[in-house]
Amino acid sequence: MTPSTGEIKYYRVLFKISGEALMGSRPYGHDMGIIDQLCKDVADVYKLGVQVCIVVGGGNIFRGASASLSGCERASSDYIGMLATIINALILQKFLEKNLVDSRVLSAIPMATICEPYIRRKAIRHLEKGRVVIFAAGTGNPFFTTDTAAALRAVETNCDVILKGTQVSGVYSADPKKNEDAVMYDKLSYMDLLIRDLNVMDASAISLARENSVPIIVFSLKEEKIVNIVKGRGTYTIVSDYK
C-alpha cells in the first residue's frame, strides 16, 4: 500500500506503547478490550499505507527497576522484564491479526520457536512489504529502558517520528493530575526535556533522538487517534530541534 501524497505527514512511524497501557484499569496483566482498541487504531494507520513499528514495554507484568529495589540483582531483573515484553508483543500480534493486519515480532533476545530474531535489514524489509513490525525484548541489554529501545529502533529503521502514547494529552510543566495550574506545551526542544527533567522519556532515549533528529510526539492514548497524528492533526506535544 502506498500513502496518498499530501494526506500523510509521517510515512514510517514508531509507536511506543508502555506495558501499563495494556492493563487499562487493572492492577496488573492485560485488558483485552484496551488492547483490541489499540490494535484497531494501528489498523486504521496501516490501511492508509503508513509503515508502522511498535516497541512495547513489560511493566504490566514485571518491572525490572522496581524488582531491583527489592533486592533482586538489576541485570537479572531487567532480563525478566525483557521476557515480559515478548509476552506483550505476541499478544499485540494476535490482536493485530484479528484486525487483518499482517505483522511480525522481532526479538532482541533470540527465541526462534515463537518469533524472529532482530535483524535490522529484515525489519526494514518487513516494513517495505507492508507488515507491522513489533520489536520485543528492548535493546537486549540490561540497564536500558524500552524508551531507549524505541529511540534506537526508530533510528535504525529510519523512522520519521516516534509516537509516545501516554495517559495525558502531551507534555506538561507539572503533573496535570496533581497540579491544576500545569500548562501543556505544543512544542519543545530536546534540550527543554533534558534541562527541565520533564520525565517523558529517559535521558538516553531523548539524547539518541536528538543526535539523529527524530522528532518525538507525546499524546494521549485515550483522547487521540494515531491516524490523526500521522496526518499532522490532533492534540499533542512535539519534541524536535525547532529553532
Side-chain angles (χ1 to χ4, degrees):
M1 291 180 289
T2 303
S4 56
T5 304
E7 182 183 17
I8 305 301
K9 184 172 182 179
Y10 304 107
Y11 294 90
R12 180 179 290 175
V13 305
L14 187 140
F15 182 23
K16 171 59 171 64
I17 307 174
S18 68
E20 288 84 350
L22 304 184
M23 65 187 186
S25 58
R26 295 169 180 265
Y28 62 87
H30 302 87
D31 183 321
M32 297 307 180
I34 291 289
I35 295 171
D36 190 39
Q37 185 56 57
L38 278 173
C39 290
K40 280 183 168 67
D41 291 346
V42 172
D44 289 340
V45 175
Y46 171 83
K47 290 169 185 174
L48 290 175
V50 175
Q51 296 176 2
V52 182
C53 312
I54 297 173
V55 168
V56 62
N60 56 318
I61 300 172
F62 187 88
R63 294 191 65 86
S66 298
S68 68
L69 294 175
S70 302
C72 186
E73 194 231 340
R74 174 64 189 270
S76 296
S77 297
D78 283 353
Y79 280 120
I80 296 168
M82 290 177 215
L83 298 181
T85 72
I86 295 170
I87 293 172
N88 286 339
L90 293 172
I91 290 174
L92 286 173
Q93 183 182 39
K94 289 296 114 186
F95 276 90
L96 286 170
E97 290 174 347
K98 175 185 172 185
N99 287 282
L100 305 179
V101 174
D102 194 12
S103 63
R104 297 289 188 275
V105 174
L106 274 62
S107 171
I109 298 175
M111 301 190 76
T113 304
I114 58 174
C115 60
E116 299 176 24
Y118 172 71
I119 299 171
R120 175 180 173 272
R121 287 179 178 270
K122 181 176 282 189
I124 292 172
R125 186 63 180 144
H126 282 318
L127 291 170
E128 291 172 345
K129 288 185 174 182
R131 297 165 182 154
V132 170
V133 177
I134 307 167
F135 297 118
T139 66
N141 302 289
F143 306 104
F144 290 93
T145 68
T146 50
D147 279 346
T148 299
L152 176 63
R153 298 295 184 242
V155 171
E156 287 182 307
T157 56
N158 305 313
C159 287
D160 298 323
V161 68
I162 299 169
L163 306 180
K164 166 83 171 178
T166 68
Q167 301 302 309
V168 292
S169 301
V171 182
Y172 285 79
S173 57
D175 187 341
K177 295 179 180 179
K178 298 179 181 178
N179 187 342
E180 294 182 357
D181 296 324
V183 176
M184 184 184 132
Y185 303 107
D186 292 327
K187 61 181 181 179
L188 289 166
S189 70
Y190 303 106
M191 289 306 298
D192 288 335
L193 284 188
L194 293 169
I195 293 170
R196 301 181 194 182
D197 194 23
L198 293 173
N199 296 320
V200 174
M201 301 178 87
D202 64 74
S204 297
I206 296 165
S207 296
L208 189 56
R210 175 174 175 259
E211 289 167 11
N212 294 276
S213 300
V214 181
I216 303 166
I217 288 180
V218 183
F219 68 102
S220 169
L221 287 170
K222 293 181 179 179
E223 299 172 10
E224 193 56 77
K225 297 293 185 184
I226 312 171
V227 70
N228 291 332
I229 294 173
V230 298
K231 294 179 179 179
R233 305 172 187 167
T235 301
Y236 53 77
T237 300
I238 183 165
V239 182
S240 65
D241 240 341
Y242 77 91
K243 304 300 181 182

